[in-house]
Amino acid sequence: MRMSELSRTSGVAVATIKYYLREGLLHEGERTSATQARYDQSHLARLGLVRALLGVGGLSIAAARNVLAELDHPAESVHDLLGSVTHQLLPDTREDLDLTAAKDLITKLGWWFDPDHGEQLRPLAAALAGMRSAGFDLSERELIDYGRAMHEVAVDEVARVPTESPAAAVRYVTLGIVLVEPLLLALRRLAQVDASANRFDKGQGAVSSA
Amino acid sequence: MRMSELSRTSGVAVATIKYYLREGLLHEGERTSATQARYDQSHLARLGLVRALLGVGGLSIAAARNVLAELDHPAESVHDLLGSVTHQLLPDTREDLDLTAAKDLITKLGWWFDPDHGEQLRPLAAALAGMRSAGFDLSERELIDYGRAMHEVAVDEVARVPTESPAAAVRYVTLGIVLVEPLLLALRRLAQVDASANRFDKGQGAVSSA
C-alpha cells in the first residue's frame, strides 16, 4: 500500500509517519519510484507498536528506538535480555543517588541481583529518596509487603515468558515492562476506589475536622 | 531564615525557589523589607514535598499545584477525597477512548466504581488500548490476576489511611498515589530480575535461535 493508505488504515497522520521514518522508528518501505514507496502489514504492525510505546508507554523517542532495537535484535539469553531491557528503560536519575537503602531492602527481601549492575537499583533508590524528601516514610514492614506483592506478580510474569525463540521472549519482556506498567497503576487506583468504598462506605467516611 | 539560607539548607537553588514562589507551589515568606522575606520550617518541608512531586513523582507544575491545593484544602470525606485526588492525577488521554473493555474488566473483578465518574476508568481504558494497539494481548485470566494482585495492595493501603483529620488523610492518599507508583514499578522490575534468575538460572537460560 502507499503512504496515504498506510496513514488511513493506521490512523497515523502522514507527517507523523514521515517523522517516524526519519527517526528510525519505522523501517523504510520498498521504493517504487524516486518519490514513492510501498508499505505492507509489517509497517502497519510497527506503527501500532510505536504508538503504544510513545503513548501509553510514555517513552521518549530515544527510549522507544532502544526498545525497538532490542525487539529487532534480541539477546540470546532470556536472563541477559531481561537485564538489558531493564537497563534500556532506566530513567535518568541523579548521579549522586545513594543506593544503600535500596540495597538493604533487596537484601531483606532475599532477592538476587547482579552486583555488577548496581544501576538496576537506581529506580528503587530514586523512589525511596523521593518518599524521604517528601517526608512520606513507609515502615520497613510496609516496604517489604509492597515487595512481596510485586514479587508474586513478577513470578507469574516470568513464568509466562515464551522460550521458543529469542525474538518471542524479548518481545514479551519488553512490552510486558512498558505496557503493563500503566495497566498496574490504573488497576491500583481503581482497586483503591473499591477498597475505599468498602472501608468508608462512601460519604459516611467523613473524618473529624482538623 | 533568609532565602539564601533556605536555599543552602534545602539544596534547592535560589532561582528555583523563586520560580516555585511565582508558580504558587511555595507559600510566600513573611516580608521583613521591600526586598527581603523570612522563611521557616514550613517552607523547608514544602520544598521537599515539591521536589518529590516534580522529581520522582513525575508531575507537571500544573498537576503538582492541584495536588498541593488538595493537601492544603482537603475534602471532608475520605472517600470523596480519594476520588478527587485520583481525578487530579488523571493523565490526559484521548477523548475518543472506548471505556467498554475497562468497564467489563472492573465488573468481572467485582469492584465498585462510581458510574457518575466514568472518567476514573480512562487510565485503565488507555492501558488496555495501548496493549491492543501494540498487539500485546493478555488473556482475561492474566488481566484478572493483575487486578487481584493490585487489589491486595490497595486494601492494605486504604486500611492504613489515617482518619484522625482530613489533612492527615489527604496527605497520605495523595502522596501514596504519587510516590508509591515509582516504588511499585521499581520493585516489580527488580522482582523480575530475581524471578528470572530463579527460572533461567542466569546464562543457562539461553533459548534456541529463531
Side-chain angles (χ1 to χ4, degrees), chain B residues 27-49:
Chain B
H27 47 296
E28 298 287 339
E30 189 194 341
R31 286 256 147 249
T32 52
S33 79
T35 56
Q36 292 205 324
R38 195 157 43 210
Y39 302 90
D40 58 25
Q41 288 303 319
S42 72
H43 295 89
L44 211 47
R46 174 63 73 124
L47 274 179
L49 179 55

Side-chain angles (χ1 to χ4, degrees), chain B residues 6-194:
Chain B
L6 179 63
S7 167
R8 221 166 28 244
T9 316
S10 63
V12 180
V14 168
T16 307
I17 296 179
K18 287 184 175 166
Y19 176 65
Y20 292 164
L21 284 167
R22 278 198 307 277
E23 291 289 336
L25 299 178
L26 182 68
H27 47 296
E28 298 287 339
E30 189 194 341
R31 286 256 147 249
T32 52
S33 79
T35 56
Q36 292 205 324
R38 195 157 43 210
Y39 302 90
D40 58 25
Q41 288 303 319
S42 72
H43 295 89
L44 211 47
R46 174 63 73 124
L47 274 179
L49 179 55
V50 168
R51 277 164 66 92
L53 293 178
L54 298 179
V56 69
L59 297 191
S60 66
I61 296 280
R65 197 188 291 118
N66 288 339
V67 166
L68 291 167
E70 201 65 44
L71 288 176
D72 294 336
H73 306 286
E76 283 290 304
S77 138
V78 173
H79 183 75
D80 289 350
L81 180 150
L82 241 182
S84 98
V85 168
T86 306
H87 187 71
Q88 298 289 358
L89 299 178
L90 283 184
D92 278 330
T93 42
R94 297 201 317 272
E95 276 308 308
D96 60 344
L97 208 54
D98 182 2
L99 301 180
T100 316
K103 210 173 288 182
D104 283 353
L105 179 56
I106 296 307
T107 306
K108 275 189 193 106
L109 283 162
W111 294 357
W112 181 87
F113 74 94
D114 189 344
D116 294 341
H117 286 90
E119 74 279 2
Q120 290 189 341
L121 294 171
R122 297 180 66 82
L124 178 58
L128 294 172
M131 295 197 294
R132 204 162 43 239
S133 136
F136 186 77
D137 284 309
L138 294 179
S139 70
E140 187 181 301
R141 177 78 261 143
E142 287 162 351
L143 291 172
I144 285 177
D145 284 347
Y146 276 124
R148 296 231 167 106
M150 297 322 283
H151 197 268
E152 273 181 48
V153 166
V155 167
D156 285 350
E157 290 177 316
V158 168
R160 287 198 301 263
V161 172
T163 51
E164 72 269 18
S165 76
V170 82
R171 181 166 188 286
Y172 193 88
V173 170
T174 312
L175 297 184
I177 287 181
V178 177
L179 298 177
V180 174
E181 290 192 346
L183 174 76
L184 281 175
L185 299 185
L187 284 170
R188 171 172 172 249
R189 291 197 190 180
L190 288 167
Q192 288 174 333
V193 169
D194 177 69

